[in-house]
Amino acid sequence: MPATAVASSKIDLFGLTRDELFALVAAWGFSAASAARLWRYLHREAATSVDGMDELPPRLQTQLASHARLELPEVAGENSSSDGLTRKYLLRLAGGHEIETVRMRYRDRVTACLSTQAGCALGCVFCATGQRGFDRNLTAGEIVAQALHIQRSLFGVTGSGPPERLRNIVLMGMGEPLLNYDAVMQAIDILRDPAGLAIANKRITLSTVGVVPGIVRLADEARPCSLAVSLHAATQEQRAALVPAAKTWPLDELIEACRYYTQKLDRRIFFEWTLIDGQNDSPEEARCLAQLVRGMPAHINLIPLNRTAGFDGQPTLSAATTRFQAILREHGLPVTFRQRRGLDIAAGCGQLAGAVANRALAITP
Ligand code: SF4
């Protein structure tokens, strides 16, 4: 089976843009009004079955039941963090591969962390997904379906009030989005649609480990999302030890691509830095990082290491974190210290591996 194939000959409706869905419905001989109702059922109401699509002509319902796939992925497992703010879902895709998707509730928003591949081939040493290996790319429909699943999970949360809406998407779950470029871009276009989930451009963040050709392409195509680059080290040698992909796309080429991106789009870039005790958290490292991104509109996100079973590093202690942060600020860099979420259910950055039941118990923060 090809890497992106799904074991179904039916059309995956969640993978169609609004224009594509309208064209399909028109080709079947139905009106634009019916197409608009169908789009609304799918992307506003997160419907998962033709049953209940009562406003559609019965013949269109029959056509959909025969030729289209609109089930959301099966929930094979789920866990909630002890504070109730983070919920992790193990979703089983057509064909049997499993991925993880995380819902994070904050005071003023809900964020969905979506996967773009089942597994990952890039093998970052501290990442549970990388430790697990690569199965296949997700389709655009499978990426969109995760967001719709999260939206669906929010219906009813607010009791009698209006349903809470998903506002933020981070493509930081399992997989490297820029190695599944076309499907990810199609999904972003669908998620942004104002008649659908209507996620604002600046509220969609794509995270890459540094796939240089993908960054250049994002810039050339002026794709409407924020970009976060997982840097983790400021020298080629040290980075290659943590992020094997750096051997393919060396640090100097990566930084050059990032500068190109910021200049071409007149947009800032986020750099993610996982702080690992004794490995990349010294004052010297902080100064080296500041030097590396000098002159670029950059924002640094510091993330203490989230532990995984396959890596014995420890998170940086708070005194060293504070010192690291202070040095970056002295160099004029905006710095955010990323809140750690869902560690008791292995839902933090780098902890997603597609085995909710086992790993939630196996890993302690
Ligand atoms: S950090 Fe991202 S790129 Fe690296 S192994 Fe994990 S999922 Fe893949």
Side-chain angles (χ1 to χ4, degrees), residues 182-361:
D182 292 336
V184 168
M185 294 309 139
Q186 171 93 350
I188 287 175
D189 284 346
I190 296 167
L191 294 168
R192 292 169 51 233
D193 192 299
L197 283 177
I199 311 287
N201 296 351
K202 65 178 185 196
R203 294 182 180 275
I204 300 176
T205 302
L206 182 151
S207 175
T208 177
V209 81
V211 178
V212 166
I215 294 171
V216 172
R217 194 171 162 194
L218 280 176
D220 287 342
E221 295 177 359
R223 291 288 177 173
C225 59
S226 297
L227 179 63
V229 174
S230 298
L231 208 51
H232 309 313
T235 64
Q236 168 62 14
E237 188 186 3
Q238 195 182 14
R239 190 163 189 272
L242 294 171
V243 177
K247 293 171 194 151
T248 306
W249 300 291
L251 184 60
D252 55 348
E253 289 179 25
L254 172 59
I255 294 300
E256 196 182 322
C258 292
R259 284 191 195 281
Y260 177 74
Y261 176 92
T262 56
Q263 286 162 4
K264 179 107 185 171
L265 299 183
D266 192 20
R267 212 182 270 170
R268 75 176 164 170
I269 199 164
F270 295 86
F271 288 106
E272 314 277 316
W273 190 281
T274 294
L275 284 164
I276 309 171
D277 185 35
Q279 292 199 35
N280 65 354
D281 58 356
S282 68
E284 179 56 27
E285 286 280 345
R287 283 188 279 272
C288 206
L289 167 58
Q291 187 63 27
L292 196 64
V293 302
R294 198 158 59 102
M296 215 188 302
H299 188 114
I300 313 293
N301 281 326
L302 299 177
I303 313 153
L305 176 74
N306 292 325
R307 291 175 55 205
T308 56
F311 181 63
D312 61 6
Q314 298 294 322
T316 292
L317 300 172
S318 70
T321 301
T322 307
R323 193 178 51 201
F324 198 92
Q325 197 168 357
I327 292 170
L328 294 177
R329 291 213 168 111
E330 280 163 23
H331 284 79
L333 281 166
V335 188
T336 306
F337 192 69
R338 174 93 65 79
Q339 283 179 50
R340 302 169 91 195
R341 299 289 301 260
L343 297 189
D344 53 343
I345 54 167
C349 283
Q351 292 188 312
L352 303 185
V356 169
N358 298 336
R359 298 188 61 261
L361 299 172

